[in-house]
Amino acid sequence: MSDPALEAFIRSLPKTETHLHIEGALPYELLQAWQPEKYPPAPAFREPGYRFPDFPKFDETLLGHALPWFTSAERYHESARVTFAGHVAQNVRYVETSFHLPVTQFINVPGREIIAAIRAAVPPGLEVRIFAGMLRTDYAGPMRAVIDDLANWDELAGVDLHGFEQVPTEPWTAKIWSRLRAAGKITKAHAGEFDGAARVREAIAELGVTRVQHGVRAIEDPAVVALARERGVTFDTCPISNLKLRVFPSLAELPLRRLLQAGVNCTVSTDDPLVFGNSLTGEYVALATQAAFSRAELAQLARNGWSVASIPAEAKRKQAEEIDRVEKTWAALR
């Protein structure tokens, strides 16, 4: 049952989205308008109660819906335009999104053209930072030259290592990640989702990242949680993604609050709304209704996102002050 007051409070918070795959954010309505006979109005996998049986089925569903659409830079622009409009409607003001770098090989479109197409779709009032995402096995063949050149892409905010986490991280990664940081790029890695705390330790200690995508299974090892806190690492978590992919059986059992209480900076994002049927507002609502997060806790999650946003310190301060005002206003109304 919806709570209009809760949803209004959440919408009034200036929010960030820091873990979003642009292909996985393809608005489903674009697919339906494009080929209505192929894409039904309400596929089962987008329903709140649906659970993917395993990662391969999730990957098959995601790629099976995203790849037919993303065939040109223009398609990236159209999808991003609708996606970003949705962010603005939810009072999301800052987004970090990655595009899947190997797609450039599939469709023969240079990565810089994809970045330019996404950038051209950004509306007023929204700050967007674009990352190149890649698999742990991508530093081979034609991808090697592309990856080696990423340090020269001024329009690229950083890189993200993603894909099925149980695939071993290859030796090239730490060297490339270090070189990219030296060039001013932000480095991220998916860890602590389908594999345990050891992969979070690897991402922090060996790859040198301070931005872990997911990270929630770090809770399995207190020493890894302590390492994340000591290194100032942020976990960009995606609660509904974790729920629908069976990482945890319920949001009440998601260790997000425990990680926050342990001093780990955590943010909230949607991951792949194309297949999860979620929104950022819906993530906050779910935490409140299914995991008993208070308004103060939700406001802190919003602050956490701004703490790692790649914007000037003064702009961060203004957003934090607005969150403070929102929290005080709504507290006075209760």
Side-chain angles (χ1 to χ4, degrees), residues 48 63-64 107 114 129 133 154 174 200 215 231 270 303 307:
L63 296 178
I107 64 176
I114 291 176
R129 304 292 179 264
D154 293 340
V200 180
R231 296 280 184 92
T270 59
R303 288 189 194 93
S307 74

Side-chain angles (χ1 to χ4, degrees), residues 12-313:
S12 67
L13 293 169
K15 294 176 291 298
T16 68
E17 170 122 61
T18 52
H19 182 166
L20 180 71
H21 301 272
I22 198 70
E23 293 88 1
L26 171 63
Y28 188 79
E29 61 266 28
L30 290 181
L31 283 179
Q32 195 182 7
W34 176 45
Q35 292 187 2
E37 69 287 351
K38 184 176 180 180
Y39 302 105
F45 61 81
R46 285 173 55 84
E47 293 299 319
Y50 183 84
R51 303 291 181 266
F52 286 93
D54 49 38
F55 183 87
K57 182 61 177 177
F58 155 75
D59 208 30
E60 174 190 322
T61 304
L62 175 62
L63 296 178
H65 286 77
L67 291 185
W69 174 269
F70 289 102
T71 57
S72 66
E74 290 75 19
R75 283 285 181 83
Y76 272 92
H77 178 272
E78 177 62 11
S79 178
R81 184 185 63 79
V82 179
T83 295
F84 295 154
H87 281 116
V88 172
Q90 297 175 80
N91 199 20
V92 177
R93 302 180 186 178
Y94 176 89
V95 173
E96 292 179 358
T97 188
S98 65
F99 71 98
H100 190 47
L101 192 61
V103 170
T104 62
Q105 306 294 311
F106 307 157
I107 64 176
N108 197 31
V109 176
R112 283 174 149 165
E113 289 187 19
I114 291 176
I115 293 173
I118 297 170
R119 172 64 52 199
V122 178
L126 184 66
E127 291 283 345
V128 174
R129 304 292 179 264
I130 302 170
F131 290 68
M134 65 197 76
L135 304 177
R136 286 171 165 80
T137 56
D138 275 341
Y139 195 61
M143 288 300 300
R144 179 186 293 263
V146 176
I147 293 170
D148 282 343
D149 191 44
L150 292 177
N152 301 314
W153 295 16
D154 293 340
E155 63 274 37
L156 186 72
V159 291
D160 181 15
L161 196 67
H162 60 208
F164 191 41
E165 190 184 339
Q166 292 177 352
V167 173
T169 303
E170 296 179 355
W172 62 268
T173 315
K175 297 175 184 177
I176 297 296
W177 257 225
S178 178
R179 180 152 56 84
L180 286 168
R181 277 194 300 276
K185 306 301 184 187
I186 301 166
T187 55
K188 301 182 180 184
H190 280 56
E193 181 190 19
F194 288 101
D195 215 340
R199 297 309 290 271
V200 180
R201 181 188 292 279
E202 174 193 70
I204 298 170
E206 297 181 27
L207 300 186
V209 306
T210 55
R211 299 289 298 282
V212 173
Q213 307 302 89
H214 296 297
V216 285
R217 288 186 60 188
I219 202 70
E220 296 169 6
D221 186 342
V224 175
V225 174
L227 177 66
R229 180 184 64 247
E230 291 161 6
R231 296 280 184 92
V233 174
T234 291
F235 292 171
D236 292 308
T237 74
C238 301
I240 290 174
S241 168
N242 289 169
L243 180 65
K244 298 192 78 169
L245 288 172
R246 302 175 186 265
V247 177
F248 292 94
S250 70
L251 291 188
E253 294 166 87
L254 182 76
L256 177 56
R257 180 181 282 117
R258 292 165 61 195
L259 289 166
L260 291 165
Q261 291 172 341
V264 179
N265 193 63
C266 296
T267 68
V268 170
S269 293
T270 59
D271 202 2
D272 295 291
L274 167 62
V275 291
F276 298 135
N278 54 343
S279 68
L280 193 61
T281 297
E283 295 281 348
Y284 279 73
V285 169
L287 287 172
T289 58
Q290 298 179 43
F293 270 60
S294 67
R295 289 184 181 179
E297 289 175 310
L298 298 179
Q300 187 57 51
L301 286 169
R303 288 189 194 93
N304 292 350
W306 289 108
S307 74
V308 293
S310 184
I311 58 174

